[in-house]
Amino acid sequence: MRVHATSLNARDLFMLDGRYPVPADRVPLSDAAGVIEATGPGATRFKAGDRVVNSFNPLWFGGTPSAHPARTTTPTSTGGWPNTSPSTNSGWCPSPSISTAATLPCATVTAYSALEGVGPGVTVLVQGWGGVSLFALQLARAACARVIATTSSEKKAARLRELGASDVVNYRTTPQGGRRGPQAHRRTGADVVVEVGGVGTIAQSIKAAAYRGTISMVGHVTLGGDAEHASLDEVLLALTYNMTSVRAIGGGSGSDRRT
């Protein structure tokens, strides 16, 4: 496959500044799209000229993964993309485009995985303007869920509403807003919180979550920043008191990607 387009994710930047727990020689970059240049004997799924996009976890086909993706030896797990890449059929998926498809393997599948069980009557809280949050907003709306978003920009707030957010909370003017968004809809909290901030926002996410709600732990963009954050004791106590479940999300399987 000849690579024509790639995209960057927050994890790639974390690799460069040492915040991501991978070997120091790991090359960042996990998402790519391109065109099949040649196929081997017996290949039936693809032919030369087909447009394809990669899988973030190419050896995780579905169900429970047999090994941690970081311990596999594939282009996406070791990081980086050469101009051309040999691969098995399982590492690729047909793609209608190239440039836009290169943004899909990590962010879109992660958002999809974070929304497990979301449908009509469910309230979802998304944070900010990043790729996972924007995909989660649109996927949740497509599933007929109610979506509340947070941002620090009134301009972005208007766009988030255009994309389907029923309410937008400005976390600069409402820094301790916690339940502000869910209360706008007379609910007791968000059923699912797509958590991308990490240590700097987890305490507010617990406050925003409904009793026995779920936090899908996706990212850690506040890691290493100067934002104030709650202690581990405070976070654990709040989780227990609110009976909140936390699900760690690391992309998704090949089955998730095809869906």
Side-chain angles (χ1 to χ4, degrees):
M1 192 277 287
R2 180 169 294 277
V3 175
H4 286 260
T6 58
S7 65
L8 287 171
N9 294 286
R11 65 186 290 275
D12 301 315
L13 301 179
F14 287 180
M15 286 184 185
L16 292 174
D17 64 21
R19 286 184 284 171
Y20 204 78
V22 296
D25 61 351
R26 183 67 56 87
V27 179
L29 200 61
S30 60
D31 293 3
V35 176
I36 298 292
E37 289 206 331
T39 59
T44 58
R45 189 172 176 217
F46 297 111
K47 64 182 184 302
D50 285 350
R51 291 178 294 188
V52 293
V53 63
N54 75 293
S55 173
F56 184 71
N57 294 315
L59 300 185
W60 180 12
F61 305 111
T64 302
S66 58
H68 193 293
R71 300 191 179 98
T72 62
T73 54
T74 61
T76 51
S77 60
T78 56
W81 282 98
N83 288 333
T84 59
S85 174
S87 179
T88 62
N89 283 341
S90 63
W92 303 99
C93 184
S95 172
S97 67
I98 291 180
S99 58
T100 54
T103 66
L104 301 179
C106 181
T108 309
V109 179
T110 296
Y112 176 83
S113 299
L115 296 174
E116 181 179 347
V118 166
V122 171
T123 297
V124 176
L125 176 65
V126 299
Q127 302 171 333
W129 189 251
V132 171
S133 295
L134 291 180
F135 279 123
L137 189 165
Q138 294 172 87
L139 290 172
R141 287 298 298 128
C144 298
R146 174 172 287 161
V147 182
I148 301 164
T150 66
T151 183
S152 62
S153 164
E154 290 305 316
K155 182 178 180 180
K156 291 178 181 178
R159 180 59 178 148
L160 288 166
R161 291 189 180 93
E162 289 177 2
L163 290 173
S166 58
D167 194 69
V168 180
V169 178
N170 188 316
Y171 61 79
R172 295 293 186 194
T173 58
T174 316
Q176 300 298 319
R179 294 185 178 275
R180 161 67 178 84
Q183 284 181 346
H185 295 285
R186 295 184 291 277
R187 296 181 63 86
T188 56
D191 301 295
V192 176
V193 179
V194 182
E195 172 63 59
V196 300
V199 66
T201 55
I202 185 65
Q204 285 298 306
S205 291
I206 298 170
K207 291 180 180 179
Y211 181 67
R212 300 187 71 86
T214 297
I215 295 176
S216 291
M217 179 61 71
V218 171
H220 303 273
V221 297
T222 63
L223 183 65
D226 56 4
E228 294 184 8
H229 55 82
S231 68
L232 179 60
D233 287 345
E234 292 172 317
V235 168
L236 293 177
L237 179 59
L239 286 172
T240 303
Y241 181 78
N242 202 43
M243 296 291 285
T244 307
S245 298
V246 178
R247 298 175 56 237
I249 306 296
S253 68
S255 176
D256 295 328
R257 180 195 56 178
R258 288 187 294 274
T259 302

